[in-house]
């Protein structure tokens, strides 16, 4: 088994070297626009796009120039770097990008100056041990990119696997745990929406969304943690989250 693993690892390393060369070439071709942008990258098994859109609306509410590239499918390097260039041309300050495991594993994000890296959750259901480790390593790649800010889900069963990652300037956790920086104090699930009371230090504020379901509670807390790291006021966070209404279809 060990020999087979080594045989499989070599082609993957070769693929990654080629991908890194490709992304370096793309970054150079576009003039390294990411250097002038604050990249907020969100990874996780579920909820990446929802959190991304929450943060997008929060920043729009805060009158910040922002662009978003949100997808639950792998993002190609050509698409990513063109998007960064287009965002720079549009004079965006912040860029929000979802980071699927497949894109992280293939080094699509290699060399980018990530400002904030956030994790929604880690739910590797149905994976064997080898695939689990591969998936975990892929997600970890984002947090190894030396981001200014790291945001982690304290309630996630795999929190211990990510707890050692720290942001250069700030590390925030969110969840129902009393040790969370952004603490979920109370939540209400309605037929047509979700409401959550969040506590940050001595401040307590309420956020609400038209989205329904228990996972939305965690997604709103994640978005609030990211926005808090950007020094956005609770009232603006609440308004931004409320503003997000998914397009049908």
């Amino acid at each position: 088994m060990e020999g087979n693993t080594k045989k499989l690892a070599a082609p993957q390393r070769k693929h990654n070297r080629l991908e890194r060369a490709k992304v370096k070439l793309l970054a150079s071709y576009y003039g390294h626009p990411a250097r002038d942008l604050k990249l907020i990258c969100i990874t996780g098994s579920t909820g990446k796009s929802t959190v991304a859109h929450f943060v997008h609306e929060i920043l729009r509410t805060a009158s910040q120039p922002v662009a978003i590239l949100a997808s639950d499918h792998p993002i190609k390097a050509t698409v990513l770097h063109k998007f960064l260039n287009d965002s720079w041309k549009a004079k965006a300050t912040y860029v929000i990008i979802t980071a699927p495991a497949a894109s992280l594993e293939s080094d699509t994000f290699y060399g980018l100056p990530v400002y904030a890296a956030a994790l929604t959750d880690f739910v590797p259901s149905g994976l064997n041990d080898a695939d689990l480790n591969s998936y975990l390593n892929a997600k970890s790649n984002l947090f190894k990119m030396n981001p200014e800010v790291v945001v982690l889900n304290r309630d996630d069963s795999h929190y211990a696997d990510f707890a050692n990652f720290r942001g250069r300037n700030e590390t925030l956790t969110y969840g129902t745990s009393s040790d969370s920086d952004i603490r979920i104090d109370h939540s209400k699930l309605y037929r047509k929406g979700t409401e959550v009371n969040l506590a940050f230090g001595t401040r307590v504020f309420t956020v609400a969304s038209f989205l329904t379901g228990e996972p939305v509670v965690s997604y709103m807390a994640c978005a609030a943690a990211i926005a808090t790291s950007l020094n956005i006021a609770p009232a603006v966070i609440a308004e931004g989250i409320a503003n997000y209404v998914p397009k049908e279809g």
Side-chain angles (χ1 to χ4, degrees), residues 10-11 14-15 27 48 54 60 71 76 79 99 107 113 121 135 139 144 172 174 180 209 227:
K14 181 178 179 181
H15 171 78
K48 296 183 293 295
F54 279 149
R60 288 182 63 190
S71 175
K76 294 181 179 180
V79 173
D107 280 332
D121 57 23
Y135 192 67
K139 295 294 185 185
K144 295 174 182 176
L172 287 177
Y174 64 93
S180 302
S209 171

Side-chain angles (χ1 to χ4, degrees), residues 3-4 23 52 59 92 111 124 160 183 187 235 237 249:
N4 289 339
V23 297
L59 286 168
R183 191 175 68 256
S187 63
I237 294 173

Side-chain angles (χ1 to χ4, degrees), residues 16 41-49 71-75 97-109 114 116-125 127 130-147 149-152 156 158-159 161-166:
N16 282 13
C41 296
I42 302 164
T43 193
S45 301
T46 66
K48 296 183 293 295
S49 293
S71 175
D72 291 325
H73 302 291
I75 297 173
I97 309 170
T98 51
S103 297
L104 290 169
E105 186 176 25
S106 63
D107 280 332
T108 300
F109 289 78
V114 175
L119 179 71
T120 59
D121 57 23
F122 186 87
V123 188
S125 58
L127 298 182
D131 289 339
L132 172 61
N133 288 332
S134 177
Y135 192 67
L136 177 62
N137 289 335
K139 295 294 185 185
S140 298
N141 283 342
L142 177 62
F143 300 93
K144 295 174 182 176
M145 295 176 69
N146 203 25
V149 175
V150 164
V151 174
L152 299 172
D156 191 81
H158 281 264
Y159 171 72
D161 293 314
F162 294 90
N164 59 311
F165 294 114
R166 316 296 295 175

Side-chain angles (χ1 to χ4, degrees), residues 135-224:
Y135 192 67
L136 177 62
N137 289 335
K139 295 294 185 185
S140 298
N141 283 342
L142 177 62
F143 300 93
K144 295 174 182 176
M145 295 176 69
N146 203 25
E148 296 275 345
V149 175
V150 164
V151 174
L152 299 172
N153 184 347
R154 189 99 190 187
D155 292 342
D156 191 81
S157 59
H158 281 264
Y159 171 72
D161 293 314
F162 294 90
N164 59 311
F165 294 114
R166 316 296 295 175
R168 280 187 292 154
N169 287 345
E170 188 172 28
T171 302
L172 287 177
T173 60
Y174 64 93
T176 57
S177 167
S178 60
D179 294 327
S180 302
D181 297 302
I182 304 291
R183 191 175 68 256
I184 299 171
D185 268 354
H186 183 67
S187 63
K188 294 180 180 179
L189 304 179
Y190 301 102
R191 188 167 63 88
K192 293 186 177 181
T194 309
E195 184 179 275
V196 184
N197 290 339
L198 299 174
F200 178 56
T202 58
R203 292 183 294 176
V204 178
F205 59 102
T206 301
V207 296
S209 171
F210 289 109
L211 275 64
T212 60
E214 186 67 35
V216 177
V217 173
S218 180
Y219 302 158
M220 286 196 286
C222 182

